[in-house]
Amino acid sequence: MSDVEPIVLDHSSWTQQELLLHIIQRYFDLGNEAMAGQAWEARAKTGRTDSGALTQLNKELGHLGYLAMLDRGNPPILSIAYLPEDQQIIANWQLSAVWLMMAGFLTMIGSTWLMQFNSDASALDSDLLSESLFYMAIPMIFILALASEIRRRIALYFGVKIGHVVPIAFPIMATSWPFGLAGVLNQRRPDLLPIPNRRALAIIELAAPLILFFGGSLLTLLGLHLTPLEPPELSSSPIAFNNNPLITILTLEWLGEGLWIKLQWIHLTALSGIGLTLIGWTLLLPIPGFPGDRLLHALFGPAEMSDANRQTGIFVLMLGAMVIIFASTDYMPWLLIAALAAMRRFSPEHSPPPLVIDESIVPSTKERSRIAAILVFVLIMGFPGMNPSYAIDEWDEGLDTSSWAEELDLTLSETYNLTLDLTPAGINSVSGWLQIRLEGENSQSWQMTSSQFNENGIYRFDDVTQNSPGELSLIITPMDIAQNNPTLIPDTSMWLRILVDVEGHFKEHLTVLRHPAITSPIDPLWLLIEDTETPRICMSVQKVDDRPANLLLGNPFWEFEGETNLSAAGLHDVCLRGYEGALQSSPYKDEFRRVMGPALALDFEDGERITWWMPVNETEVKLQVSDDAWPIPDWYSANTNYSITFGGQGSAFCPSSEVMPEMEIGETWNWTFSDHSSIRIPAGQLGSGTLYFDSSGWLAFCKEGVMFHSYSIVEGDDVVIRGGDVGIHLESPEYLISNRMNQTLPITVSWTGDSPESDVWDVSIPDEIEANSEVSISILTAGTTPLYRAVWITAQSSEITVHLAARCPVDGCE
């Protein structure tokens, strides 16, 4: 027993500090304390690298609940902290359930997307769901799973158990975000997850966004290939997309202009690709809490990123970016991201930096340059624009006329070839008719032809789309060339009026045809400025030379307002003020039932005279209706086959199509018009027919495509004149006035003028007309004084007035 050595017991226990120091000194030689009891200057033991020693040390300290970190310095600083509490990663079956639910949400979003191309289907239609699953949900889930697995394996390579990402999707499709997928979440907080070094941090954080971005780009290219160039059958306002520069570069050579067409109704696969690309691009933005911000930590280091001056500079940049975004777009996701970025940068404590163990290992300059280049490339080439997705409100708007010429210059010696491009104003294919006519004083001096016109001079087009546009070629020829006969010099402009007759979308386009080498009005019509008892009409004359000239007027119902000397070259405004009956003094109308204005002459000192005789705009014959109903007079065109067309706006035109309802003759009937609808009235005893239409618009009466009557519809007393029209010049000495109101109407006589003789009319006019009856009136001229006379009848405020106006010639009465 005496040979046994005694056991020496130490009655004092080690402190925690001594235990940590004892373990640390197995791997590092320690120097001065940098922070009392927490950090020291340190060098790895001989034969070890600092990084290797730190790894071995953390394996031993991890069992004790501590974590060693190495910061840059000379020598490096070794610090000890408590090991962050480990975050539990959800079980595989729970993660699988989440992914399966997100796949179901994506399938529903895809089905909703397809439903806009099939109005008869529902979002839960089996065919739509299966197509959505195959073309959207499976591709998106595959790319997400690939990004998650590659990120997890890269993290495991660096000794980090990071787990899979969790996709977040919503089964709600909005215009600003129709992709379903809203983002991806990490299972572990980056600030509580020890990362070996900055290089590992950069590679881990870059992996998932890059795979999402490039995988999404690949799906976008595949989806664009699957997207047809012709539009689908749309049932609602579609969602269109703007392209990022990368996709544009890759597809512009391949698709050309077809790229912008396809982006209006992209295939489901392209939709999923754009969604993944946007998520990947957004994750790389330098926003605290996003992988892009952690990449900056990897590139610059936590010390530089936490520097107050640098943080202030980044915050100012974020604030400026937020202001620009709020001023430039109303795209909701960008507004939310900009606000989140500014808020997080202003309060960095809510987004702590990533936990990097070994700060002594700094990525090389070449590695940082590569990572920075990749980051900048993706951010620039993947920029989706201020409005990545938007609704096309004008998706069914008929034909686009914006590219058609507003003015054309014509010459007398040559023909003019005009081509009208036919493209939709929206997305849907467009079918319809084009009717074209020349209007103006000299319109009969020109011939308009096209091999594409039908026998009525109308062009029919069918199913024009953005990818398959049509065109109409016209030839406008002076009559002296067309018929080899001399023609008068065209001294006024003309209008080329084009009616676009597309069901539900009727519009007109006016092209002014000018003669630039000839002094003439710039428009073919007088403009009615004031439609009163003393009307005011104006025109603008373009004078091409400086020859002295003066305006002359021979109609005593009108007088000049302003200067009549037009000597200087340039644009001159000419206005006339009329006496009462001025518009009604003209017995002439143009072919579209507009009142012809007074003849206006321009006399040059060298003896040349130009005379302009043009109609007055907005003086079409008025048809007064009461209670939106107009019984057709039994004497009206009773022995001819004709059609009646109603339009709510624009100018009167004959119907483009011969297909229309036909009324039954010999019976009491009525018909309610919709906008631009027509009916056919057969020849024979029509019976009692009543038309119903809006109290504004026009009626056109046509036979074999030629308009023989047209009216501008206004509200008023339902009074008609057999052989004439209310409010228009009357020439015959006798008329029948028909009161079709359910009340007796008084008849008054109004005489105006400047005749020196008072007895210049011999009239026989009753004092009243009973309800639903007719009276005869007689109006004869009297006296020997040569006068300019005007007779017209108005029916207003339940009173009929016979107007008689007589004025002396311009030179006065003898």
Side-chain angles (χ1 to χ4, degrees):
M1 294 295 292
S2 60
D3 295 335
V4 177
E5 295 183 4
I7 297 175
V8 179
L9 298 177
D10 190 349
H11 294 282
S12 63
S13 61
W14 284 2
T15 64
Q16 185 183 59
Q17 180 80 357
E18 290 172 334
L19 177 61
L20 292 176
L21 283 174
H22 181 75
I23 297 173
I24 293 171
Q25 287 173 347
R26 297 177 188 172
Y27 306 99
F28 288 91
D29 293 323
L30 300 181
N32 298 325
E33 285 188 348
M35 295 178 62
Q38 296 182 5
W40 304 266
E41 294 177 349
R43 291 287 188 187
K45 294 287 187 179
T46 304
R48 299 175 184 268
T49 63
D50 289 344
S51 179
L54 181 65
T55 301
Q56 294 297 321
L57 175 60
N58 274 324
K59 286 183 179 180
E60 192 166 344
L61 289 180
H63 299 293
L64 302 176
Y66 289 93
L67 178 67
M69 293 175 289
L70 202 60
D71 295 327
R72 282 185 296 171
N74 192 13
I77 303 299
L78 180 70
S79 60
I80 302 296
Y82 287 108
L83 184 68
E85 184 178 350
D86 192 22
Q87 293 174 279
Q88 185 177 2
I89 297 177
I90 63 176
N92 288 336
W93 71 269
Q94 293 175 319
L95 184 63
S96 299
V98 172
W99 278 70
L100 187 61
M101 181 174 64
M102 296 301 113
F105 288 169
L106 293 174
T107 303
M108 294 178 64
I109 284 293
S111 178
T112 304
W113 175 268
L114 293 173
M115 193 171 61
Q116 67 180 331
F117 307 131
N118 187 350
S119 58
D120 297 330
S122 65
L124 298 180
D125 187 279
S126 59
D127 292 336
L128 297 189
L129 288 174
S130 59
E131 186 175 351
S132 174
L133 178 66
F134 184 77
Y135 286 109
M136 183 174 185
I138 291 178
M140 289 190 82
I141 291 297
F142 175 76
I143 297 297
L144 285 167
L146 181 65
S148 178
E149 179 62 18
I150 291 178
R151 175 176 177 269
R152 187 186 70 85
R153 287 180 179 272
I154 290 175
L156 283 177
Y157 174 80
F158 290 107
V160 181
K161 294 182 179 180
I162 201 170
H164 283 287
V165 298
V166 179
I168 301 298
F170 299 102
I172 301 173
M173 188 176 74
T175 301
S176 58
W177 199 265
F179 314 105
L181 184 67
V184 292
L185 298 178
N186 295 320
Q187 292 195 58
R188 303 184 69 179
R189 284 179 50 182
D191 59 304
L192 300 179
L193 182 65
I195 304 296
N197 50 63
R198 286 163 51 188
R199 179 174 176 271
L201 175 64
I203 296 174
I204 293 172
E205 296 299 339
L206 198 58
L210 283 186
I211 294 172
L212 293 178
F213 179 81
F214 288 108
S217 299
L218 182 62
L219 287 180
T220 303
L221 294 175
L222 178 60
L224 287 173
H225 173 71
L226 295 174
T227 304
L229 278 168
E230 299 299 337
E233 291 295 329
L234 293 169
S235 58
S236 60
S237 174
I239 300 173
F241 300 88
N242 286 316
N243 234 5
N244 63 46
L246 179 61
I247 298 299
T248 301
I249 292 172
L250 293 176
T251 58
L252 202 54
E253 181 72 21
W254 161 38
L255 293 175
E257 293 299 321
L259 170 62
W260 317 117
I261 295 176
K262 290 188 174 189
L263 287 173
Q264 299 171 104
W265 54 80
I266 59 172
H267 190 270
L268 267 182
T269 303
L271 176 68
S272 60
I274 294 175
L276 289 170
T277 303
L278 277 174
I279 293 294
W281 183 84
T282 305
L283 290 176
L284 290 177
L285 294 175
I287 299 174
F290 283 31
D293 184 67
R294 295 193 286 273
L295 273 175
L296 294 183
H297 281 271
L299 293 174
F300 298 108
E304 287 80 357
M305 286 297 294
S306 60
D307 179 73
N309 292 330
R310 187 181 296 274
Q311 282 290 329
T312 301
I314 296 176
F315 172 69
V316 171
L317 288 176
M318 285 286 185
L319 198 61
M322 183 184 71
V323 172
I324 293 174
I325 290 173
F326 272 76
S328 303
T329 183
D330 56 359
Y331 190 66
M332 186 56 65
W334 284 178
L335 301 180
L336 295 176
I337 289 175
L340 177 67
M343 181 179 63
R344 286 191 173 184
R345 192 62 70 181
F346 180 73
S347 303
E349 64 274 7
H350 296 303
S351 300
L355 182 59
V356 179
I357 298 174
D358 191 353
E359 284 289 336
S360 65
I361 299 180
V362 180
S364 66
T365 302
K366 181 180 289 186
E367 288 177 325
R368 283 187 291 177
S369 298
R370 289 174 179 172
I371 295 172
I374 294 173
L375 179 61
V376 172
F377 173 84
V378 173
L379 290 179
I380 294 177
M381 299 303 292
F383 178 60
M386 287 298 184
N387 291 284
S389 60
Y390 58 94
I392 303 178
D393 295 326
E394 298 180 351
W395 57 280
D396 187 20
E397 295 298 317
L399 208 61
D400 181 16
T401 61
S402 61
S403 64
W404 294 359
E406 301 287 340
E407 296 183 9
L408 294 176
D409 291 338
L410 300 181
T411 61
L412 292 174
S413 59
E414 58 187 43
T415 61
Y416 189 90
N417 296 313
L418 176 63
T419 299
L420 301 177
D421 295 325
L422 308 182
T423 57
I427 291 179
N428 281 352
S429 61
V430 179
S431 300
W433 294 267
L434 291 183
Q435 293 193 44
I436 305 174
R437 69 189 185 202
L438 286 172
E439 298 181 15
E441 178 185 354
N442 293 303
S443 60
Q444 301 301 318
S445 300
W446 296 80
Q447 186 180 74
M448 183 176 59
T449 58
S450 174
S451 60
Q452 297 170 270
F453 285 158
N454 63 15
E455 62 277 5
N456 293 327
I458 300 174
Y459 173 62
R460 169 71 187 185
F461 59 93
D462 291 290
D463 296 325
V464 298
T465 64
Q466 298 176 55
N467 182 58
S468 303
E471 68 176 25
L472 171 62
S473 297
L474 300 171
I475 300 177
I476 304 174
T477 310
M479 293 296 286
D480 59 346
I481 295 179
Q483 300 180 357
N484 199 23
N485 292 321
T487 182
L488 296 174
I489 295 176
D491 49 19
T492 59
S493 302
M494 295 182 294
W495 274 345
L496 185 69
R497 188 184 296 272
I498 307 171
L499 171 70
V500 181
D501 188 352
V502 175
E503 184 177 0
H505 303 284
F506 302 92
K507 63 179 70 172
E508 291 183 21
H509 179 83
L510 281 180
T511 299
V512 180
L513 308 181
R514 304 190 189 282
H515 312 285
I518 300 173
T519 296
S520 65
I522 63 173
D523 289 311
L525 278 71
W526 287 97
L527 300 181
L528 181 60
I529 306 302
E530 296 179 20
D531 188 9
T532 60
E533 287 187 353
T534 56
R536 183 170 183 257
I537 59 176
C538 294
M539 70 161 71
S540 294
V541 176
Q542 181 69 47
K543 195 165 182 291
V544 298
D545 55 38
D546 293 324
R547 291 182 297 161
N550 286 280
L551 292 170
L552 299 176
L553 190 63
N555 189 326
F557 278 91
W558 297 93
E559 63 180 10
F560 288 106
E561 278 192 348
E563 183 61 47
T564 59
N565 183 281
L566 268 62
S567 296
L571 193 65
H572 300 267
D573 291 331
V574 178
C575 289
L576 305 179
R577 174 66 71 175
Y579 293 98
E580 187 174 353
L583 290 173
Q584 292 78 16
S585 68
S586 175
Y588 305 106
K589 303 179 185 67
D590 71 354
E591 57 185 317
F592 307 110
R593 305 262 281 171
R594 290 178 293 229
V595 173
M596 296 298 293
L600 184 67
L602 180 65
D603 273 9
F604 293 87
E605 286 189 359
D606 59 8
E608 181 185 351
R609 167 174 283 194
I610 298 176
T611 302
W612 299 311
W613 191 39
M614 305 184 305
V616 182
N617 195 28
E618 298 181 358
T619 57
E620 293 85 357
V621 177
K622 305 293 190 297
L623 179 67
Q624 297 185 173
V625 298
S626 176
D627 299 326
D628 298 335
W630 189 71
I632 299 179
D634 56 5
W635 46 263
Y636 195 90
S637 301
N639 297 315
T640 185
N641 187 331
Y642 63 95
S643 66
I644 305 176
T645 302
F646 167 76
Q649 58 184 355
S651 302
F653 276 86
C654 290
S656 302
S657 174
E658 295 293 331
V659 179
M660 65 187 73
E662 182 171 306
M663 299 299 100
E664 295 290 338
I665 63 173
E667 297 180 2
T668 299
W669 59 274
N670 60 71
W671 181 263
T672 301
F673 283 102
S674 59
D675 190 21
H676 284 81
S677 62
S678 303
I679 59 172
R680 178 173 286 108
I681 308 297
Q685 297 300 316
L686 183 61
S688 177
T690 303
L691 305 179
Y692 293 88
F693 38 72
D694 291 341
S695 57
S696 63
W698 50 262
L699 283 182
F701 293 76
C702 303
K703 182 178 181 180
E704 296 179 355
V706 178
M707 186 165 56
F708 61 87
H709 279 304
S710 64
Y711 297 98
S712 176
I713 301 170
V714 296
E715 288 189 51
D717 295 336
D718 190 356
V719 174
V720 297
I721 303 172
R722 180 174 295 199
D725 294 296
V726 174
I728 298 298
H729 180 89
L730 301 176
E731 293 187 86
S732 299
E734 294 184 356
Y735 288 94
L736 281 177
I737 302 176
S738 176
N739 173 20
R740 308 196 305 172
M741 305 280 288
N742 293 321
Q743 62 183 22
T744 299
L745 299 180
I747 301 177
T748 60
V749 179
S750 172
W751 185 92
T752 57
D754 62 353
S755 171
E757 299 179 8
S758 59
D759 190 12
V760 296
W761 299 101
D762 183 7
V763 300
S764 174
I765 302 173
D767 295 330
E768 65 179 17
I769 179 172
E770 295 181 357
N772 298 304
S773 64
E774 291 182 342
V775 297
S776 175
I777 65 171
S778 174
I779 304 173
L780 301 173
T781 61
T784 60
T785 304
L787 300 172
Y788 281 75
R789 302 172 188 263
V791 178
W792 72 100
I793 297 174
T794 59
Q796 295 178 344
S797 302
S798 300
E799 182 180 68
I800 298 175
T801 303
V802 179
H803 299 268
L804 309 173
R807 302 196 63 82
C808 292
V810 174
D811 297 333
C813 292
E814 297 180 358

